[in-house]
Structures are given as structure tokens and as C-alpha cells.
């Protein structure tokens, strides 16, 4: 039976981890955008297949990281996601965080392998910082960036040049521009616009041609035009509604054969050959039906795949989850019961939607987000840099088409990676680098062991790669644990645990100039009141979805509960007196254990694997020197056991009452780390009796749920209550259905 059990473990290992990661993207919905220290940041992770946006219905781990403006990580969190969970989590915002702009980044191993980590800007306001002293960039500082379409200006070739004018906070500024040839342009509210110019001899003046900027306050600035090449290629794409007209122009390249390649984050869309005519130009028509929904990149290349120019294209997505939220009325009193009903506008009985709901107070501190799951997955996911108000580009405004085209010209395409990685499943990966203690050289090709000291033994093995890194795929451990690791051979080593951090793009500073001191003080008081009166109620956690109570070797053949026997103060006496499956032999000063081979009715000839609270004990002498009064159980496996590359003649596992290696001195070849494992999901607290006035109710977030399932035509109702705080409140709903249709909805109400 033990042999069969081992084979099953090996087969399941290859089934779970032998596959390479798929094309995966994630989106994170947070309960709000601005936090004070002492508050809880609630979030929901949506993991989808990049190619069709259908949900990823398999267990995984989401890695959450909060970084400051310098790129320093200030918070890390690991959340278990998958069909058995609600994909939700929470982070307590600590008092040590100073006021400023932070970047919330999240990824799974699969999404990070493809370069598709999620990031969004989070603002933290600390009440112990003086508002006037908050770090802010210098005023009246502006930046102009110029973006030739395709990437190059060529002398004498008409080219479209996009531009972006922004202030010191990165916020777009409406301004007027005059180009060297006299062409004028005006940026929109986001500081973006474009003009068509012909760089070359028709530009007046000598020296480097410059662009003049006329700011709203009347000041004028100048900036040089990008370098103008005598030869090169210009790539132009004109949006004609149902298709793009692609124009290629050049100087000095008549008759050349090139190719156009369109690719998206989900893969290539098409590949066309183009031949430049006698004037060095060519035109091609690309139906939008051939493009994936959302963004794609068009690249002009030589036949040897040398890139010459690129342009981002966009196809308006038709897939949308339409949600219809409704309240029983629009104005409520304090501490009043409120019912929110929610259903799909065009339901499909076979389709189920997974949604998350946040209900929060909005004011000059807390503003609605200008991004939703649809605008992120179809637009911002594939573009580098920040986008002001992504939702606008999915609206019905008359200027959207032109503004969207200019946006695509001013934002680069994110450089996606295509690195295979093992999927985590219900395990997550812990990477440890082993190096030689004196020289620091990596210990490659060695087997290493990792243990999690506890009353339920868990031992894992891995072989180091050429960099000395061993990747342990461990069963999901929750909360803070000690990890014990060493080379299986026992050779000394230096071990370093490698923390996985999703790649983060820097965020521009938040604009807090509109926040009044009274609002700042009021919000700080509300946070402190909520912590005082509801702090303990917010420490309830849901049980883990995949908590395993079976040790790595399965069920032991024999268990000895030492309290059922006469207690001895010497471990050798315990084993000799009543543990009949283990015989203790001594050769001079060296002890040996031999396990009873039940099948062959004899004893094995080699030492078994000896464990203390799940940590391998290198030789019997050290366990025989341990105090048996601290040991609760001894488990015996009376068959040969295969662990990694090692074979053991049975297992003897000692478990202490506390499960923490109490008073046991580890061999110097072992290294110990404190490790933050998966964080159980916190339960959102809502007062049960809203009418009771015995304690103040200063909640600014009235309701949060990371998962509410909408099935077909069925409507769902949510009950919550208003707090003591009057003002305007926003219901923010995000979701995606099983067919890959993302959608969102908002609804406002007032509390008097």
C-alpha cells in the first residue's frame, strides 16, 4: 500500500506541476481609493484567460505588494484564489505609513510569467502628518512629450505627431502648441492631441527646430522637436470605422519588401507582406474583424524580423456584462436598513456572473475610481504608463474616437514576457537560494529539504538549479510560520529565501490640493472611532479553503500516545520499553535505529527518516538526547519511504505538545526563516442592529463582498445599513461572467 501511495503522489505531482502556465491576466477591485492608517484595504482578485477573458477556474495564489513612491515594498500579502474561495482578501494599513502615493500591484505566477501584473494607484493620508507638509512636486512645472507615429520623423515625409502636456503630478494640461512649420494644435483635457507635419526644408529658421507651448496662464515654453532622420520609415494607421487603412512611407527605400505583423497579448492576429512602390510607399487595408477586441500592436519589420516602426490599434469590444442595480429609495436616514437588488440586463440562463460590491462614502477625500474591470482588461492592461480616466474611452462622447486614437499614439505597448512557469494549484512556490558558505558560489544540482515545524509534519524536497535556487512547492500554509531548510546531504550552506514581487510601474503623485483641513480631521476621527468600537469585530477570519490535516507520509502504521504509558525521562528508555517497531542499537558512541519490516518479518538494515515536529533529525543521537516529557506522540511508518531522491527504511516521527521544536538545538547545517504564508480571508463586519445607539457608527465603507453570484435571470438582494455619517454614497459593482464578458455599474444615494 505504501508503494501504491508513493506512485499516486508522483503521478499527481506531474499532473499538477508538469504543465506550463497559460496566458493569464488579473484585475483587482478595491473597496476604495484612499486610506488612512488603521483602516482595512479590501480587495477582490479576478483571474482570467488573456485570450478570451473567461475566468480561470483553478486554485492559485495571488501575490499582492504595496510599494511607495521610491519603489520600496511596504506591505506584502498572499491570497488563495480559485473555485473553492471567494478570491477576496484584506490588508491592514499600518500606522507607520506616511502620507503619499503608493502602488498596489498584484500577480499570480502565471500572469507574471507573461508580464501581466496588475497595478493601481492608492493614496494614504496619515493624520499625524501636517497636511501642508505633505510631499508635493513643485508647482508651475510642465512637461511636453512628443510621439511621432510609428516612432520616427523622416525628412520630407508627412508624419502625424502626437503630444502630451502634463504638470508635475503627471496630470494632463490643456495647452496650445505651435510646430516649426507653423502647424498649430490644442491638447484636450487630458493634455493629449496630435497634428500632421512634414519635417524638413520647409521649416523656417536655423538650428534645431523647436515646438512652442502656450500654457493656460499665458506663459510660453519651447522644446526641441525629436531628431529628424534623412532616411527611414513612417507608419500611419487611419481608423475608418470598420477597418484601418495602413500607410507606409519612406525615404530612400523604393521597391523594398517588408511585412506588417499584428499581435496582441493573446498572440498574433495577422502577418502581411508589403512592397514599397517607386515613391517608397504602400497602403494596406486591415479589417477590424481580424483584430482581437481591445488593443493590439502593429509592427513594420524587414523580412529578417528587424523592427522598423510600430503602432497600437484598437477594436471596440462587443462583450459587456450589463448590470442593473436598484435601491428601494434614493435617500435614507442614519442607521436605516437598505436593500440593494441586482440583476443582469440581458441574462442568459447558462451564464453565471461573479461580481464584487463596495458601498462607500464619497467626498473630497474619497473620490470614485475612473477605471473599471472592462476598461482595464481591454485597454490599460496592454499599455504602459498611467491613463487618466480610462472609463472615458468607453463612453458615448463625440470626441472619444479621436481622443482614443491620440491616447494610443502617446502610450507605449507593454513588453510582455513569454516565460514558462509551473502552476501553483493548491500549492505555492517558495524559492530558496543555496550558496557555498565561504566562496558564495551557488550550490547547483543538490537536493535540498524544506520543513514547516508543526504537529502535522510537512517535508518537501527540491533540486537546486544552476543558480543554486531550489523551488519548493508547498501545501498552502496560513499565517506566520518558521521554515527550516538544509542540504539533504548535510553539507554546510548559506540559504537565502527569495521573495516574489510582481513588477510595478511607478505612480504619479496624488493631487491632494482640494482636500480641506476639516475633511481631513473628520475622516481621521471616523477611522479612530471605528477602530475603538469595532476593532475586535473586524478580526474574524473565514476558515481556509484547503487546509490539510494529514502529514506528508499519510497515516502512520502505528501511533504511540506517550501519555497512555508510563512516562520515562530518557528517550532511549521510551523506545526500548514499549515502541516495539523500533530497535535501538549502539556501536561505541553512535546510536542506530532499525524499523520493523512487517512484510518480511525482520528489521530494515538502514536508519529511518527521523523527524521532530516535521524537521529531519540528522542522526539518532540528537533525538535520544531530547527530553521525552515534551513529546506527545510517536508515529511509525513500517515500510520503505521515498522522499525526493532519497530512500528511507521507514519513518519515526516525534511530535511535541507545542509543535515548535521546543528546546531543540538544530544542527548548524540548518537555516531557519520566518515566513508569511497565505492570509485567511477576513470577514467584513456590519453591525447587526443598526438602530441601536449605544455606540457610535462612523463607518465610511458600509458594505463589501468579494463574491456575489448572479445566475441567469435570477435577481440577488443585498441588505446593509447606513451609518451615522450623512452625505453621498456610491455603490461600486465590478464583475465578469463565465463567458468572459466584463462589466461594471455604479449607483448613488444620500444619507441625511
Amino acid at each position: 500500500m505504501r508503494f501504491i501511495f508513493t506512485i499516486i503522489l508522483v503521478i499527481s505531482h506531474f499532473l499538477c506541476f508538469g504543465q506550463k502556465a497559460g496566458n493569464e491576466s488579473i484585475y483587482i477591485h478595491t473597496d476604495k481609493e484612499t486610506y488612512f492608517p488603521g483602516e482595512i484595504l479590501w480587495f477582490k482578485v479576478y483571474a482570467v484567460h488573456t485570450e478570451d477573458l473567461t475566468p480561470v477556474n483553478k486554485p492559485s495564489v495571488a501575490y499582492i505588494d504595496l510599494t511607495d513612491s521610491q519603489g520600496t515594498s511596504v506591505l506584502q500579502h498572499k491570497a488563495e484564489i480559485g473555485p473553492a474561495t471567494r478570491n477576496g482578501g484584506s490588508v491592514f494599513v499600518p500606522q507607520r505609513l506616511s502620507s503619499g502615493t503608493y502602488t498596489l500591484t498584484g500577480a499570480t505566477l502565471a500572469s507574471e510569467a507573461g508580464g501581466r501584473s496588475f497595478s493601481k494607484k492608492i493614496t494614504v493620508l496619515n493624520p499625524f502628518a501636517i497636511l501642508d507638509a505633505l510631499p508635493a512636486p513643485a508647482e508651475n512645472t510642465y512637461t511636453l512629450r512628443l510621439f511621432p507615429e510609428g516612432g520616427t520623423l523622416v525628412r520630407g515625409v508627412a508624419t502625424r505627431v502626437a503630444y502630451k502636456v502634463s504638470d508635475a503630478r503627471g496630470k494632463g494640461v490643456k495647452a496650445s502648441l505651435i510646430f516649426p512649420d507653423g502647424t498649430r494644435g490644442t491638447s484636450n483635457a487630458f493634455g493629449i492631441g496630435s497634428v500632421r507635419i512634414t519635417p524638413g526644408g520647409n521649416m523656417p529658421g536655423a538650428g534645431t527646430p523647436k515646438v512652442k507651448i502656450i500654457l493656460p496662464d499665458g506663459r510660453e515654453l519651447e522644446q526641441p522637436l525629436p531628431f529628424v532622420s534623412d532616411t527611414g520609415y513612417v507608419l500611419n494607421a487611419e481608423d475608418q470605422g470598420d477597418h484601418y487603412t495602413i500607410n507606409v512611407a519612406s525615404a530612400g527605400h523604393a521597391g523594398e519588401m517588408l511585412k506588417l505583423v499584428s499581435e496582441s497579448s493573446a498572440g498574433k492576429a495577422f502577418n502581411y507582406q508589403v512592397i514599397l512602390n517607386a515613391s517608397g510607399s504602400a497602403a494596406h487595408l486591415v479589417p477590424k474583424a481580424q483584430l482581437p477586441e481591445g488593443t493590439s500592436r502593429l509592427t513594420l519589420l524587414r523580412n529578417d524580423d528587424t523592427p522598423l516602426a510600430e503602432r497600437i490599434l484598437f477594436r471596440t469590444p462587443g462583450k459587456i456584462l450589463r448590470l442593473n442595480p436598484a435601491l428601494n429609495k434614493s435617500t435614507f436616514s442614519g442607521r436605516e436598513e437598505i436593500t440593494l437588488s441586482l440583476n443582469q440586463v440581458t441574462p442568459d440562463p447558462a451564464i453565471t456572473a461573479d461580481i464584487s460590491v463596495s458601498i462607500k462614502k464619497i467626498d473630497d477625500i474619497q473620490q470614485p475610481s475612473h477605471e473599471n474591470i472592462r476598461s482595464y482588461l481591454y485597454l490599460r492592461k496592454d499599455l504602459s504608463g498611467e491613463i487618466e480616466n480610462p472609463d472615458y474611452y468607453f463612453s458615448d462622447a463625440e470626441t472619444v474616437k479621436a481622443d482614443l486614437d491620440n491616447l494610443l499614439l502617446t502610450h507605449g505597448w507593454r513588453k510582455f514576457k513569454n516565460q514558462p512557469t509551473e502552476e501553483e494549484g493548491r500549492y505555492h512556490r517558495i524559492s530558496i537560494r543555496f550558496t557555498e558558505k565561504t566562496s558564495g558560489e551557488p550550490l547547483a544540482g543538490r537536493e535540498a529539504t524544506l520543513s514547516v515545524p508543526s504537529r502535522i509534519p510537512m517535508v518537501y524536497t527540491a533540486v537546486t538549479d544552476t543558480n543554486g535556487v531550489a523551488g519548493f512547492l508547498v501545501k498552502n500554509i496560513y499565517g506566520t510560520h518558521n521554515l527550516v531548510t538544509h542540504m539533504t546531504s548535510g553539507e554546510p550552506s548559506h540559504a537565502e529565501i527569495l521573495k516574489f514581487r510582481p513588477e510595478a510601474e511607478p505612480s504619479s503623485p496624488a493631487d491632494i490640493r482640494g482636500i480641506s483641513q476639516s475633511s481631513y480631521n473628520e475622516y481621521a476621527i471616523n477611522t479612530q472611532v471605528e477602530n475603538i468600537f469595532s476593532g475586535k469585530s473586524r478580526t474574524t477570519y473565514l476558515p481556509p479553503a484547503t487546509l490539510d490535516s494529514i502529514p506528508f507520509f499519510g497515516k502512520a502504521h502505528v501511533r504511540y500516545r506517550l501519555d497512555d504509558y508510563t512516562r520515562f525521562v530518557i528517550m532511549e528508555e521510551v523506545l526500548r520499553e514499549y515502541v516495539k517497531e523500533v530497535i535501538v542499537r549502539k556501536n561505541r558512541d553512535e546510536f542506530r535505529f532499525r524499523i520493523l519490516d512487517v512484510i518480511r518479518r525482520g528489521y530494515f538494515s538502514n536508519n529511518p527518516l527521523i523527524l521532530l515536529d516535521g524537521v529531519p533529525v540528522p542522526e539518532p543521537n540528537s533525538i535520544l538526547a531530547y527530553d521525552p516529557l515534551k513529546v506527545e506522540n510517536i508515529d511509525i511508518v513500517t515500510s520503505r519511504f521515498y522522499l525526493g531522491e532519497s530512500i528511507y527504511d521507514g519513518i519515526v516521527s516525534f511530535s511535541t505538545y507545542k509543535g515548535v521544536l521546543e528546546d531543540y538545538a538544530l544542527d548548524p547545517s540548518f537555516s531557519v526563516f520566518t515566513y508569511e504564508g497565505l492570509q485567511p480571508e477576513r470577514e467584513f463586519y456590519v453591525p447587526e442592529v443598526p438602530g441601536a445607539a449605544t455606540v457610535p457608527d462612523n463607518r465610511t465603507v458600509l458594505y463589501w463582498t468579494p463574491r456575489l453570484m448572479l445566475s441567469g435571470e435570477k435577481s440577488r438582494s443585498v441588505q446593509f445599513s447606513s451609518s451615522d455619517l450623512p452625505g453621498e454614497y456610491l455603490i461600486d459593482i465590478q464583475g465578469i461572467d463565465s463567458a468572459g464578458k466584463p462589466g461594471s455599474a455604479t449607483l448613488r444615494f444620500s444619507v441625511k
Side-chain angles (χ1 to χ4, degrees):
M1 287 295 293
R2 180 64 54 184
F3 177 75
I4 296 175
F5 177 72
T6 304
I7 293 295
I8 291 174
L9 282 179
V10 172
I11 292 174
S12 65
H13 174 86
F14 279 102
L15 288 176
C16 292
F17 306 115
Q19 301 173 5
K20 298 302 181 182
N23 208 346
E24 189 171 305
S25 300
I26 70 168
Y27 170 78
I28 298 178
H29 178 205
T30 58
D31 63 318
K32 52 184 181 177
E33 312 302 310
T34 302
Y35 298 86
F36 275 54
E39 290 193 298
I40 296 175
L41 185 158
W42 302 88
F43 64 86
K44 160 69 176 281
V45 179
Y46 290 91
V48 299
H49 297 102
T50 304
E51 59 271 18
D52 59 7
L53 302 188
T54 54
V56 176
N57 290 317
K58 60 186 176 184
S60 185
V61 177
Y63 296 85
I64 310 299
D65 196 15
L66 190 68
T67 56
D68 61 18
S69 57
Q70 305 301 315
T72 303
S73 177
V74 296
L75 280 176
Q76 299 87 37
H77 184 96
K78 303 178 189 73
E80 184 179 15
I81 61 175
T85 73
R86 302 196 304 167
N87 285 24
S90 60
V91 175
F92 182 82
V93 182
Q95 298 289 344
R96 59 182 169 82
L97 294 190
S98 58
S99 297
T101 302
Y102 295 79
T103 301
L104 179 73
T105 310
T108 60
L109 286 187
S111 68
E112 181 69 11
R116 297 176 186 87
S117 59
F118 170 88
S119 63
K120 71 173 293 184
K121 183 162 63 177
I122 294 292
T123 302
V124 173
L125 298 177
N126 195 319
F128 298 103
I130 301 174
L131 190 60
D132 293 339
L134 293 178
E139 298 293 337
N140 301 322
T141 301
Y142 298 90
T143 301
L144 169 65
R145 288 181 292 167
L146 300 169
F147 305 87
E149 185 173 18
T152 308
L153 289 177
V154 179
R155 191 175 306 279
V157 179
T159 308
R160 190 175 170 197
V161 177
Y163 47 83
K164 182 171 184 179
V165 185
S166 54
D167 62 15
R169 294 176 172 81
K171 187 176 178 61
V173 175
K174 193 168 185 176
S176 298
L177 284 81
I178 304 176
F179 284 79
D181 65 350
T183 303
R184 293 175 176 265
T186 302
S187 59
N188 62 14
F190 306 122
I192 297 173
S194 67
V195 297
R196 186 177 296 278
I197 66 172
T198 303
N202 61 335
M203 293 186 176
T208 303
K210 295 183 178 180
V211 180
K212 181 182 292 186
I213 314 164
I214 304 174
L215 298 169
D217 59 7
R219 285 187 300 145
E220 295 185 0
L221 305 175
E222 287 188 337
Q223 180 162 316
L225 197 69
F227 175 76
V228 179
S229 175
D230 291 327
T231 63
Y233 306 84
V234 171
L235 178 64
N236 167 253
E238 297 291 340
D239 188 349
Q240 305 294 342
D242 62 347
H243 69 276
Y244 274 100
T245 299
I246 309 300
N247 298 296
V248 179
S250 70
H253 296 281
E256 189 171 357
M257 181 177 291
L258 306 171
K259 58 183 178 181
L260 286 170
V261 176
S262 170
E263 50 189 340
S264 69
S265 56
K268 292 185 179 180
F270 64 78
N271 186 333
Y272 288 124
Q273 291 286 339
V274 294
I275 301 176
L276 302 183
N277 59 24
S279 61
S281 62
H284 195 84
L285 186 146
V286 177
K288 286 189 178 179
Q290 294 184 1
L291 301 174
E293 292 188 333
T295 57
S296 56
R297 180 177 62 180
L298 181 69
T299 307
L300 179 69
L301 306 101
R302 288 197 176 98
N303 284 330
D304 62 358
D305 289 332
T306 301
L308 303 171
E310 70 176 32
R311 171 75 150 84
I312 299 176
L313 309 179
F314 186 83
R315 177 186 172 190
T316 302
K319 294 168 60 175
I320 181 171
L321 172 64
R322 301 187 184 278
L323 301 170
N324 181 31
L327 295 172
N328 45 335
K329 55 182 181 178
S330 60
T331 303
F332 300 87
S333 303
R335 303 201 181 201
E336 182 177 350
E337 289 277 8
I338 304 175
T339 299
L340 168 68
S341 61
L342 186 63
N343 62 278
Q344 300 183 55
V345 175
T346 54
D348 184 336
I351 301 297
T352 300
D354 176 11
I355 66 173
S356 51
V357 181
S358 171
I359 304 176
K360 57 198 170 188
K361 187 175 185 292
I362 54 174
D363 47 33
D364 54 351
I365 286 181
Q366 201 63 248
Q367 293 292 317
S369 172
H370 293 297
E371 180 176 77
N372 59 49
I373 186 172
R374 188 165 180 255
S375 61
Y376 175 79
L377 291 176
Y378 281 123
L379 182 63
R380 190 169 75 86
K381 170 177 66 69
D382 296 332
L383 302 182
S384 63
E386 291 187 54
I387 300 176
E388 289 185 55
N389 195 0
D391 288 354
Y392 162 75
Y393 299 100
F394 292 81
S395 69
D396 297 327
E398 294 181 359
T399 55
V400 162
K401 181 180 177 181
D403 289 342
L404 175 60
D405 207 36
N406 289 331
L407 175 79
L408 300 178
L409 290 170
T410 57
H411 282 72
W413 180 259
R414 290 182 66 182
K415 302 301 182 184
F416 294 120
K417 298 176 288 186
N418 189 22
Q419 300 175 352
T421 185
E422 292 179 317
E423 297 179 355
E424 291 182 294
R426 59 189 295 258
Y427 293 70
H428 71 274
R429 186 182 185 90
I430 298 177
S431 297
I432 299 178
R433 179 188 291 119
F434 294 89
T435 55
E436 210 278 330
K437 272 199 167 183
T438 55
S439 67
E441 292 296 317
L443 295 175
R446 268 83 153 189
E447 185 184 60
T449 302
L450 176 69
S451 304
V452 185
S454 70
R455 293 168 55 84
I456 303 172
M458 291 296 172
V459 181
Y460 308 92
T461 63
V463 177
T464 58
D465 61 17
T466 55
N467 296 315
V469 177
F472 298 94
L473 289 160
V474 306
K475 286 187 177 180
N476 292 342
I477 55 177
Y478 297 85
T480 304
H481 288 265
N482 284 331
L483 302 182
V484 180
T485 188
H486 75 299
M487 294 275 99
T488 305
S489 63
E491 65 180 301
S493 64
H494 171 74
E496 174 192 6
I497 193 164
L498 305 178
K499 292 185 179 181
F500 171 74
R501 285 185 57 192
E503 292 185 4
E505 290 190 350
S507 294
S508 60
D511 189 352
I512 58 173
R513 291 171 294 182
I515 301 176
S516 65
Q517 188 68 53
S518 59
S519 297
Y520 192 80
N521 294 338
E522 180 184 352
Y523 205 106
I525 292 172
N526 292 336
T527 301
Q528 295 180 51
V529 168
E530 190 173 0
N531 281 329
I532 292 171
F533 291 97
S534 304
K536 291 184 178 180
S537 302
R538 298 187 298 171
T539 57
T540 302
Y541 293 86
L542 300 175
T546 57
L547 191 61
D548 202 335
S549 59
I550 301 175
F552 74 98
F553 51 74
K555 184 178 180 181
H557 292 138
V558 183
R559 162 167 284 193
Y560 289 90
R561 295 179 175 86
L562 300 193
D563 286 339
D564 295 340
Y565 300 85
T566 300
R567 300 304 300 251
F568 295 96
V569 296
I570 298 176
M571 187 68 76
E572 182 182 355
E573 293 181 353
V574 173
L575 297 176
R576 291 187 184 276
E577 289 296 326
Y578 48 80
V579 182
K580 63 181 182 181
E581 290 80 13
V582 180
I583 60 171
V584 180
R585 294 176 177 173
K586 186 177 182 181
N587 183 7
R588 297 181 180 178
D589 293 331
E590 296 295 326
F591 285 94
R592 299 174 183 173
F593 288 175
R594 296 295 181 263
I595 297 291
L596 176 66
D597 185 348
V598 177
I599 297 177
R600 295 178 177 82
R601 298 183 180 181
Y603 287 89
F604 288 109
S605 57
N606 297 307
N607 274 330
L609 173 62
I610 306 171
L611 302 171
L612 177 62
D613 287 337
V615 176
V617 175
E619 39 81 26
N621 284 46
S622 59
I623 195 65
L624 290 177
Y626 191 68
D627 184 359
L629 298 181
K630 291 182 169 63
V631 176
E632 182 180 17
N633 300 315
I634 300 177
D635 290 326
I636 313 293
V637 174
T638 59
S639 61
R640 187 161 284 141
F641 192 85
Y642 299 82
L643 180 64
E645 297 180 343
S646 303
I647 303 174
Y648 297 95
D649 283 351
I651 297 176
V652 185
S653 177
F654 299 81
S655 300
T656 66
Y657 289 96
K658 297 181 179 180
V660 292
L661 300 172
E662 184 182 8
D663 296 332
Y664 178 74
L666 286 168
D667 185 86
S669 63
F670 286 77
S671 298
V672 182
F673 302 98
T674 300
Y675 181 75
E676 288 291 336
L678 298 173
Q679 303 300 316
E681 185 181 344
R682 192 192 308 257
E683 190 171 6
F684 186 82
Y685 170 71
V686 178
E688 293 183 0
V689 186
T694 55
V695 295
D697 184 357
N698 286 38
R699 290 174 298 133
T700 57
V701 178
L702 303 182
Y703 182 81
W704 164 260
T705 181
R707 173 162 288 177
L708 192 65
M709 304 303 293
L710 286 179
S711 300
E713 300 177 355
K714 294 182 180 179
S715 177
R716 290 294 301 269
S717 295
V718 170
Q719 279 74 40
F720 62 98
S721 63
S722 57
S723 65
D724 294 337
L725 304 178
E728 188 174 7
Y729 288 78
L730 177 73
I731 301 174
D732 175 23
I733 305 168
Q734 307 289 330
I736 195 164
D737 67 17
S738 52
K741 297 195 297 288
S744 63
T746 58
L747 186 64
R748 300 190 181 216
F749 64 93
S750 299
V751 174
K752 300 297 184 183

